[in-house]
Amino acid sequence: MFATNIPSASSWLESLNPAQREAVTCGDGPVLVIAGAGTGKTWTLACRVAYLIERGVPPERILLLTFSRRAAKEMLARAGRLVDRTRTGKVWGGTFHATANRLLRIYGRALNLSPDFTVLDQADMADLMDLIRGERTPARDKKERRFPKKDTLVAMYSRMVNAGEPLSSVLEHAFPWCRDEADGIRAIFAEYTRRKRDQNVLDYDDLLLYWRALGETPAGQDVARLFEHVLVDEYQDTNPLQAQILQSLRAENRNLMVVGDDAQAIYAFRAASVRNILDFPLQFPGARRITLEQNYRSTRPILDVSNAVIAQARERFPKNLWPVRSGGARPVLLTCSDENEQSGEVCDQILEHREQGIPLRRQAVLFRTGHHSDLLELELTRRNIPFVKYGGLKFLESAHIKDVLAMMRVLENPRDEVSWFRVLQLLDGIGPAGARSIMTSLGVRVAPRDPLRTLIDSPPRVPDATAVGLNALRLALADCTADSTPLPPASEIARIRQFIEPFILERYSSGQARLQDIEQLEQVAGNYSVRGRFLSELALDPPSATSDLAGPPLLDEDYLILSTVHSAKGGEWDVVHIIHAADGMIPSDMSTGNQEEIEEERRLFYVALTRARDNLYVYFPLRFYRRPRGLDDNHHFAQLTRFLPEPVQSLFDRRGAGAAESFSSASVVHKSSRDGIDRLLSSLWDG
C-alpha cells in the first residue's frame, strides 16, 4: 500500500553527493566510511539500507548496529521513505547490547544459558558489587584501609571485560591506588560472577562477552549466516570486544560496512578504542575506504578552525571538511578576567542572539565537565534565562525510579538479591544488615525456594516499626501476582506507585516531581504487554532524562541548552558557546597522563567546535579563584588551551572582555619573554 509514494532509486541516488553515492552503491566486501562531522552519515546509512533492499537483499538478512535505539529507528524510518516500509521493518536494527540480548535468547543454550535470563543495568551491577563488598569486607577493615567503592569496582570490571585487559593491567594503568587491593577485588569479581550465574542474570558487559563466546560455537556460525550484510554506525566508539564480535560475525562473509570518524573518538573512559577504526584496514585486509568531507552543518570560518585543531593530531585519517553553505562570521575567542566575567559575557551573547531572532533552544553552552557550569547556572538564574542541563544524572539513575524498577525486577525474578536489597531498605528501621537478615529468612539465595511466595504467604517476624511497611509491601506484591495471568507492566507500576508514594514524599526532596516521573514511567510501560521485555529494553537503551519520556523538558516558552561535550556529541546548534578553554580544563588536568589521553582531549575539543552551525564563541578566563591555604593567593592565572596555538588563534576574531581587554593589551609588551618561558616549561614537560 506504500508503493505509490515510493520514489525511484535513481531519484534519491541523484540527491547524494559523489562520496555519499559511492558509499551507498559500493559492492560487497569490507568498507570503511570516514564520515566527518556534519557530512550526512545518517542519511548515507539509511540510503545504503534502502539500496541493499532494492538490489534484492532480504531485509531480515541486514543487520544495522547503532549506539542507541533511537538512531536505529531514525535510520530505518528514513530508509522506509525510500523503499517499502513493511520491508525496512524487517531489518535487524538496534544497539550491540540489544542485538546480543535478542540473539542470546534464541541461541544461548549453546552456552548453557537459559533464555529467560534477566539483565542487570549498570546501576544494578554497582548495587550487587556493593552487596558483596559489604559481606566480604569487615567494617573494621573499611575503617583501617581505603577499599574501592561500588562504582569504582564496576568501572574496573567493565574496562577489564570490554577492553580485554587483565585485572593487573587495569589496576596498573587506570587505578594505581588500588593495586594493593588486587586480591580482594579479584575475590569480589569471582563471587559477583558466581551469583549472576546462580540467579540467571547477565549484566550489561556479559551480553557482549556471551555474544563473542557464541561466535566460537557451531551456533555462532548459524548466527553469522543469518546476515548477508552488516552495517555499523559510530564505529570509532566501539571497544575491542565489539571489534572481536564483528570479526567473528564476518569471518566467512566479509560484507561489512563501518561508518565513523576517528576525529570524534572520545569515549575511552567506556573502554572504546580509537584503534578499532584506525586499524580497520589491517583487521579486514582489502577494505575499501571512502571519505565524506562535504559538510552540511557549519560555515567555512567554523570549519577552518575545526580543521586546524584536528590537523595537529598525531595519527588520523586525512580529511578536510568543506562547506555547502557560503559566508559566515569568524569564530570569536573571548578572553575574560575571571569566571564571573565569563558568565556575564556568555549571558550577554546569548541574549543578544536571542534579540536577533535565534531562540534559546538553538543555542548551547558546552563544557568539559559537569561542574564547570556552576557559576554560569547562578548567573543564568539571576538573569531569568531558563536552561536544561545534559550530562548529569540520568533518568534511570534517579533513586525513586530505581526503587520502582527494583520492585518490578523482584516480580520478574524473585531471586534477584540486588533488587530485594534495595526494596527492603525502603522500609522504616531497615538498613543493610536488616535487609540481609530478611533476605536470609525469605531464602533469596536458597534454590529452589520462591522468596516472593514466602513473603506473601509467610512473612518473617520483624520489629513493630517495620511491620506496617513490610505488610504494605507484601500486599502490593500480592496484588501484582494475584491472577494467573500477569498484570500488564503499566498496571503493576500503578500499584507499586500506591505503595511507594509515602516513602517518596517522606524521604526525597521534590516528592511531587518524583511521583510525576513515576507516572511518566507508567505511560512508557503502557507500550509493553510483557514485563520482561519492558525491563530488558529499559536496561539496554535507557532514556537519558525525563525529557526523553515526557516531551519538552520545560513549560517555559524557550530554554537554553547546557551540556558536557560528551553529551553534546551528535547535536548541533545555531550558536555554540564553549567555556573554560584553559589548560587544566580543556584538556582536563585529569586526562593528560600520557599522549593517548591528550589526543583524546584534542578530539573532544574538536567535537565541541563542530557542533556550531552559524556562530562559535570560545571563552578563556585569565584567573580562577580557589580557597587559599595559609599564605597562598586566592586565585591563579590560567593558560589558554594548548589546542589553540598561535596559527589557530589567527583564525578567530580575538576580543577581550572588560578588565581582561586592558590586561591582555598590556601583557603583549612581554610576549617574547613569555614565549621563551613557555618553551622552557614545555621542554620540561616533554622531557
Side-chain angles (χ1 to χ4, degrees):
M1 60 179 172
F2 301 107
T4 55
N5 296 322
I6 297 172
S8 65
S10 59
S11 64
W12 52 262
L13 283 175
E14 288 173 1
S15 70
L16 302 171
N17 66 48
Q20 290 175 329
R21 193 177 308 119
E22 181 184 1
V24 168
T25 61
C26 66
D28 294 343
V31 181
L32 170 62
V33 179
I34 302 298
T39 56
K41 72 174 179 62
T42 299
W43 178 237
T44 301
L45 268 174
C47 290
R48 175 64 175 173
V49 171
Y51 178 80
L52 291 174
I53 293 174
E54 286 249 327
R55 206 183 68 174
V57 177
E60 63 274 13
R61 301 205 63 201
I62 300 173
L63 173 60
L64 173 62
L65 293 169
T66 64
F67 273 78
S68 72
R69 181 172 55 183
R70 178 181 298 175
K73 288 177 66 176
E74 179 184 354
M75 288 182 198
L76 294 178
R78 291 190 179 191
R81 293 197 287 268
L82 305 178
V83 296
D84 191 335
R85 275 178 284 174
T86 60
R87 297 163 70 190
T88 56
K90 297 177 182 178
V91 172
W92 282 60
T95 65
F96 272 89
H97 294 88
T99 303
N101 177 62
R102 184 176 174 185
L103 289 171
L104 290 172
R105 293 189 189 278
I106 301 171
Y107 297 96
R109 292 193 186 278
L111 301 171
N112 199 29
L113 178 66
S114 174
D116 61 347
F117 63 84
T118 54
V119 180
L120 294 177
D121 65 19
Q122 290 180 309
D124 296 326
M125 291 172 64
D127 288 341
L128 180 53
M129 292 272 193
D130 200 36
L131 184 63
I132 297 169
R133 177 182 182 272
E135 294 171 354
R136 298 187 65 89
T137 309
R140 173 177 51 81
D141 291 350
K142 293 177 188 174
K143 293 179 181 178
E144 291 182 358
R145 292 182 60 83
R146 180 173 62 141
F147 192 84
K149 289 195 170 184
K150 62 179 184 179
D151 292 329
T152 305
L153 291 169
V154 169
M156 292 175 186
Y157 182 84
S158 291
R159 189 182 185 100
M160 188 176 66
V161 172
N162 290 293
E165 289 185 55
L167 177 61
S168 58
S169 176
V170 170
L171 295 179
E172 182 67 31
H173 296 111
F175 304 92
W177 63 272
C178 299
R179 284 176 297 196
D180 293 341
E181 307 298 337
D183 290 341
I185 294 168
R186 191 174 291 109
I188 288 176
F189 288 170
E191 177 66 10
Y192 172 72
T193 301
R194 187 186 68 76
R195 290 201 191 177
K196 286 187 298 176
R197 187 181 299 111
D198 290 347
Q199 296 171 28
N200 194 34
V201 299
L202 299 184
D203 64 33
Y204 209 60
D205 301 317
D206 287 334
L207 291 168
L208 299 183
L209 199 61
Y210 274 69
W211 188 3
R212 188 192 67 178
L214 185 64
E216 299 172 358
T217 69
Q221 298 175 15
D222 294 336
V223 171
R225 285 191 286 267
L226 283 176
F227 307 114
E228 188 172 332
H229 285 268
V230 177
L231 312 176
V232 185
D233 187 24
E234 304 285 12
Y235 191 64
Q236 78 280 348
D237 295 333
T238 55
N239 59 49
L241 184 54
Q242 290 165 323
Q244 292 165 15
I245 288 170
L246 292 175
Q247 289 168 9
S248 172
L249 200 59
R250 299 289 83 182
E252 296 181 6
N253 178 333
R254 286 165 46 83
N255 293 339
L256 171 66
M257 174 180 284
V258 301
V259 181
D261 183 6
D262 54 294
Q264 298 185 68
I266 59 173
Y267 293 113
F269 67 93
R270 296 180 187 167
S273 174
V274 70
R275 299 303 331 165
N276 282 359
I277 191 166
L278 291 175
D279 294 342
F280 185 84
L282 301 176
Q283 295 168 352
F284 294 89
R288 182 174 181 176
R289 191 171 87 204
I290 301 168
T291 303
L292 307 184
E293 298 175 296
Q294 188 170 343
N295 179 281
Y296 295 89
R297 175 186 300 158
S298 306
T299 59
R300 180 172 292 281
I302 293 172
L303 293 181
D304 287 344
V305 166
S306 304
N307 287 331
V309 166
I310 202 61
Q312 304 168 63
R314 296 179 66 193
E315 186 178 5
R316 68 189 184 100
F317 287 116
K319 64 179 175 299
N320 189 59
L321 299 182
W322 55 276
V324 171
R325 304 168 59 207
S326 59
R330 282 164 63 92
V332 176
L333 177 58
L334 192 59
T335 301
C336 306
S337 60
D338 55 23
E339 295 174 86
N340 287 322
E341 188 169 71
Q342 173 183 255
S343 297
E345 287 294 326
V346 170
C347 291
D348 288 347
Q349 297 297 335
I350 287 168
L351 291 176
E352 182 176 336
H353 282 291
R354 180 176 178 270
E355 290 302 312
Q356 294 171 1
I358 301 175
L360 295 177
R361 63 182 175 273
R362 294 303 311 153
Q363 302 187 56
V365 181
L366 307 184
F367 33 86
R368 172 63 179 85
T369 305
H371 67 83
H372 286 177
S373 66
D374 289 350
L375 283 178
L376 175 61
E377 290 174 41
L378 294 176
E379 183 67 9
L380 290 169
T381 302
R382 188 184 72 81
R383 296 173 71 161
N384 194 29
I385 302 175
F387 61 88
V388 175
K389 185 174 180 179
Y390 295 94
L393 190 66
K394 302 291 190 258
F395 181 71
L396 294 189
E397 294 170 0
S398 303
H400 54 297
I401 296 299
K402 290 173 67 176
D403 293 338
V404 173
L405 293 179
M407 291 189 65
M408 294 284 282
R409 290 193 178 97
V410 163
L411 292 169
E412 181 67 15
N413 180 3
R415 297 180 62 203
D416 185 340
E417 62 177 323
V418 173
S419 296
W420 276 113
F421 192 60
R422 184 176 191 91
V423 169
L424 291 171
Q425 289 184 77
L426 287 171
L427 308 180
D428 289 338
I430 298 296
R436 290 192 189 96
S437 177
I438 295 175
M439 289 164 62
T440 299
S441 62
L442 293 177
V444 171
R445 292 171 56 190
V446 180
R449 286 183 66 182
D450 183 341
L452 179 58
R453 202 73 256 159
T454 301
L455 175 66
I456 293 172
D457 296 339
S458 306
R461 296 178 64 86
V462 294
D464 292 343
T466 304
V468 174
L470 184 65
N471 189 55
L473 172 64
R474 183 180 69 84
L475 292 176
L477 295 174
D479 287 345
C480 292
T481 59
D483 298 330
S484 56
T485 303
L487 291 174
S491 299
E492 291 181 341
I493 292 179
R495 179 62 183 91
I496 290 170
R497 180 161 52 86
Q498 293 177 17
F499 158 74
I500 212 169
E501 180 172 345
F503 298 99
I504 298 290
L505 295 175
E506 178 183 349
R507 297 193 175 195
Y508 298 129
S509 61
S510 306
Q512 289 297 332
R514 292 174 187 262
L515 291 174
Q516 290 174 6
D517 284 350
I518 296 174
E519 290 177 9
Q520 296 295 342
L521 187 67
E522 183 182 333
Q523 290 183 21
V524 174
N527 297 322
Y528 297 85
S529 59
V530 179
R531 183 199 311 119
R533 185 181 171 204
F534 167 69
L535 291 173
S536 292
E537 294 200 4
L538 210 58
L540 294 170
D541 192 19
S544 62
T546 314
S547 58
D548 283 1
L549 302 176
L554 288 176
L555 295 178
D556 210 305
E557 59 170 350
D558 201 3
Y559 49 87
L560 176 72
I561 303 299
L562 303 185
S563 178
T564 62
V565 182
H566 283 104
S567 294
K569 186 171 175 292
E572 61 177 61
W573 294 272
D574 293 347
V575 183
V576 168
H577 309 263
I578 302 173
I579 60 175
H580 291 306
D583 246 50
M585 302 286 194
I586 302 175
S588 168
D589 55 6
M590 302 296 289
S591 299
T592 54
N594 55 54
Q595 194 61 46
E596 288 73 20
E597 289 181 348
I598 294 172
E599 287 301 305
E600 175 149 325
E601 292 290 301
R602 188 194 314 280
R603 296 192 294 267
L604 191 64
F605 187 48
Y606 172 80
V607 167
L609 297 172
T610 55
R611 300 309 96 195
R613 286 176 45 81
D614 301 315
N615 295 94
L616 173 65
Y617 295 85
V618 178
Y619 299 82
F620 167 50
L622 283 168
R623 292 180 294 184
F624 289 89
Y625 289 90
R626 62 188 178 187
R627 183 172 296 158
R629 297 181 180 179
L631 300 177
D632 289 350
D633 290 336
N634 63 358
H635 68 266
H636 67 277
F637 286 95
Q639 286 190 327
L640 182 65
T641 174
R642 69 189 72 181
F643 303 141
L644 292 179
E646 179 60 34
V648 182
Q649 291 179 46
S650 67
L651 301 173
F652 284 87
D653 178 5
R654 287 179 276 193
R655 304 178 191 170
E661 186 169 12
S662 58
F663 182 94
S664 299
S665 60
S667 65
V668 170
V669 175
H670 303 290
K671 182 178 185 302
S672 60
S673 299
R674 201 171 64 235
D675 285 347
I677 294 171
D678 287 349
R679 283 194 296 273
L680 174 61
L681 291 173
S682 179
S683 68
L684 294 175
W685 294 330
D686 294 341

